[in-house]
Amino acid sequence: QVQLVESGGGLVQAGGSLTLSCAASGRTFSNYAMGWFRQAPGKDREFVATINWSGSLTYYADSLKGRFTISRYNTKNTVYLQMNSLKPEDTAVYYCAAKGGTYYYTLSKEYDFWGQGTQVTVSS
């Protein structure tokens, strides 16, 4: 089992920035690709970003490229999501997820473990 705990969410004005963190425990963190997803009220969960086990490969939802950055520090068992130029439509619960493997993964059904989520609210 891998336990994931997100933090860093909150209320921010449009144009502002937030950095989300996801701390992992339970297994060797570097054995897992990591992903961020989000779910807005009344909408399906959607892919945000993913990173491979070493951090050498990343992939983003097209609509978020240039504003969001995913990174990881395996020595800290933590993955981050830096979010800049936030918009009201970025309002959602953000989840991190872990998938055993060496590549990266964009489909939520591929992930094995999920955190509880952290709320991000962007006011206009």
Side-chain angles (χ1 to χ4, degrees):
Q1 289 287 335
V2 175
Q3 292 77 44
L4 302 172
V5 179
E6 302 96 336
S7 61
L11 175 64
V12 63
Q13 289 187 333
S17 298
L18 278 176
T19 299
L20 305 183
S21 301
C22 174
S25 62
R27 294 280 180 90
T28 302
F29 183 62
S30 58
N31 287 346
Y32 292 83
M34 300 297 295
W36 285 97
F37 293 78
R38 68 185 184 183
Q39 188 166 18
K43 296 187 177 181
D44 293 333
R45 188 171 297 186
E46 66 172 346
F47 166 73
V48 173
T50 180
I51 190 166
N52 75 329
W53 71 277
S54 66
S56 62
L57 297 174
T58 58
Y59 189 82
Y60 298 89
D62 286 343
S63 61
L64 301 176
K65 288 179 181 176
R67 294 197 299 123
F68 288 19
T69 303
I70 189 171
S71 60
R72 66 188 295 164
Y73 286 92
N74 287 346
T75 56
K76 295 184 178 181
N77 291 350
T78 302
V79 63
Y80 303 93
L81 185 69
Q82 172 70 42
M83 306 185 294
N84 297 325
S85 302
L86 283 162
K87 305 174 181 180
E89 51 264 42
D90 294 319
T91 295
V93 177
Y94 284 71
Y95 299 90
C96 73
K99 157 69 179 172
T102 58
Y103 199 53
Y104 60 64
Y105 307 89
T106 62
L107 300 178
S108 60
K109 64 182 181 181
E110 295 179 290
Y111 284 82
D112 305 308
F113 304 102
W114 292 83
Q116 292 300 307
T118 185
Q119 176 71 47
V120 171
T121 303
V122 184
S123 63
S124 58

